[in-house]
C-alpha cells in the first residue's frame, strides 16, 4: 500500500443469514491515524489471512459462547505488515512482521510488542509462507496434530476439510511423522492436491455419505481424526475410530452461521473409550519455537508446502471471506493489499 491520506477498512455491516456474503461487510474510510507514541510503529498491510472461524463471531449469539462482533466492528485476523514509520528501537522502516490479530485495515498504529519480526534466516521464503505453513494456520495444524493429537507413525489419520489452510498443513505434518493419512475435500482438483501433499488416500465428500467414503478408505478404522468441518464428518469419524481412538476438534465450518448440533452417535465414545480434544491455538503459544524449528526445516527439505489462494486488492476482502465460506479456495485464502 502506498502512503496515503485515505485509509480504508472493512466493517461488519449485518448479521449473516446462513453463509457469509460480501454484502455482509462494508468497505469504509477509517478514522485518521493518531501520531506515533514511543514504542509504536506505523504499518502498512501487505497480506491479510482469512479465518473461516470468524463466521461464527459475526453472529449475535455464537456457538463458542462468546459475544459476537458488534455491527460496525472491524474484524481481525493474522497479517503480514510492513513498517513505514517507527518510534521503536525494535523496528525500522522497511521491516516486515506478522501480527496475530490485525484489523482489516490498510494501515494502522501498532505497539511494537504486538509484532513478530520475520527473521533474516527466513527472509528468502515467500511472504505467503508466513501466513500459511509458518504462520497461524501452520501453527494451528501443528499444535492439533503433533501436541494435542500426539500423532504416531503407526496411526491412520483422517483429516476433514483437508484442502483448506489448516487442513492442508495437518495432512503434511501427519505424513511427515510417518502416519497413514486420509483427507476429505470437495472437488476432484482438491482430492488430487491432497495426494500430491502426501495423503495416502483422499475422498471427495460429494461422492456419497461421509461414513461410507471413510469406511472404504479405511476399512480397518482410524486412530486419529483432525476435524475442521464437524457435522457428518465428525459422526463418520466416531463410527470409524478404533478402540481408544482420538479426535482433535479444530473447527466446524459446516456448523458456522447456524445452530450447532452434537453428533448423533456420541454414545460410541463410551463403548470404544474414545477421546475428543478441543483446543484453541492461542492457549499454546509456548509451543511456537518448537513448531517454527520443525516447520522451517520441513519447508527447507521440500516436505512442507504452502497451499494458498491469493486475491489482489484490499477491496476484495469481503469477496475473499465469502469465497472461503463457500469452499472456493485451495489452501489458505489470502488478500494482497
Amino acid at each position: 500500500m502506498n502512503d496515503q491520506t485515505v485509509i480504508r477498512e472493512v466493517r461488519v455491516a449485518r448479521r449473516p443469514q446462513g453463509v457469509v456474503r460480501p454484502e455482509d461487510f462494508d468497505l469504509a474510510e477509517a478514522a485518521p491515524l493518531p501520531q506515533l507514541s514511543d514504542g509504536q510503529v506505523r504499518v502498512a498491510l501487505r497480506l491479510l489471512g482469512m479465518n473461516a472461524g470468524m463466521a461464527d463471531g459475526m453472529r449475535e449469539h455464537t456457538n463458542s459462547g462468546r459475544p459476537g462482533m458488534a455491527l460496525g466492528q472491524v474484524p481481525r485476523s493474522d497479517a503480514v505488515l510492513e513498517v513505514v514509520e517507527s518510534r521503536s528501537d525494535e523496528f525500522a522502516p522497511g521491516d516486515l512482521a506478522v501480527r496475530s490479530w490485525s484489523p482489516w485495515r490498510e494501515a494502522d498504529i501498532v505497539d511494537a510488542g504486538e509484532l513478530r519480526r520475520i527473521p533474516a534466516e527466513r527472509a528468502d521464503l515467500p511472504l505467503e509462507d508466513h501466513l500459511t505453513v509458518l504462520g497461524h494456520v501452520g501453527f494451528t495444524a501443528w499444535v492439533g496434530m503433533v501436541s494435542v493429537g500426539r500423532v504416531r507413525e503407526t496411526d491412520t489419520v483422517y483429516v476433514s476439510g483437508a484442502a483448506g489452510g489448516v487442513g492442508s498443513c495437518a495432512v503434511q505434518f501427519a505424513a511427515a511423522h510417518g502416519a497413514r493419512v486420509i483427507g476429505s475435500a470437495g472437488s476432484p482438483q482438491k482430492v488430487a492436491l491432497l495426494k500430491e501433499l502426501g495423503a495416502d488416500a483422499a475422498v471427495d465428500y460429494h461422492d456419497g455419505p461421509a461414513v461410507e467414503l471413510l469406511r472404504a478408505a479405511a476399512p480397518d478404522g482410524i486412530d486419529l481424526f483432525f476435524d475442521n468441518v464437524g457435522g457428518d464428518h465428525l459422526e463418520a469419524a466416531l463410527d470409524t475410530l478404533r478402540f481408544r481412538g482420538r479426535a482433535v476438534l479444530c473447527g466446524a465450518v459446516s456448523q458456522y452461521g447456524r445452530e450447532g448440533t452434537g453428533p448423533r452417535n456420541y454414545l460410541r465414545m463410551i463403548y470404544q473409550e474414545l477421546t475428543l480434544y478441543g483446543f484453541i491455538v492461542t492457549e499454546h503459544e509456548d509451543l511456537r519455537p518448537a513448531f517454527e524449528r520443525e516447520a522451517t526445516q520441513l519447508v527447507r527439505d521440500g516436505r512442507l508446502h504452502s497451499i494458498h489462494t491469493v486475491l489482489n486488492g484490499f477491496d476484495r476482502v469481503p469477496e475473499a471471506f465469502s469465497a472461503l465460506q463457500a469452499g472456493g479456495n485451495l489452501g489458505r485464502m489470502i488478500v494482497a493489499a
Side-chain angles (χ1 to χ4, degrees), residues 34-86:
Q35 295 296 312
L36 287 177
S37 299
D38 289 341
Q40 292 186 320
V41 297
R42 182 162 64 92
V43 294
L45 181 66
R46 292 284 297 274
L47 298 175
L48 182 65
M50 300 284 102
N51 298 331
M54 200 198 77
D56 184 52
M58 293 177 66
R59 302 175 64 207
E60 186 174 3
H61 303 289
T62 68
N63 290 332
S64 68
R66 299 176 180 177
M69 285 181 282
L71 297 181
Q73 186 171 338
V74 178
R76 292 175 176 262
S77 54
D78 52 325
V80 172
L81 307 169
E82 180 178 351
V83 176
V84 295
E85 185 181 357
S86 177

Side-chain angles (χ1 to χ4, degrees), residues 207-266:
D207 288 345
V211 67
E212 293 180 10
L213 295 172
L214 182 53
R215 284 174 176 162
D220 296 324
I222 62 174
D223 303 287
L224 175 60
F225 174 44
F226 190 106
D227 192 18
N228 295 297
V229 177
D232 59 350
H233 292 264
L234 177 56
E235 292 183 353
L238 290 180
D239 266 343
T240 313
L241 279 163
R242 296 170 177 148
F243 186 71
R244 292 183 178 168
R246 300 101 67 205
V248 175
L249 308 182
C250 178
V253 69
S254 72
Q255 305 300 301
Y256 298 148
R258 66 191 70 181
E259 294 298 327
T261 57
R264 293 171 294 180
N265 55 345
Y266 78 95

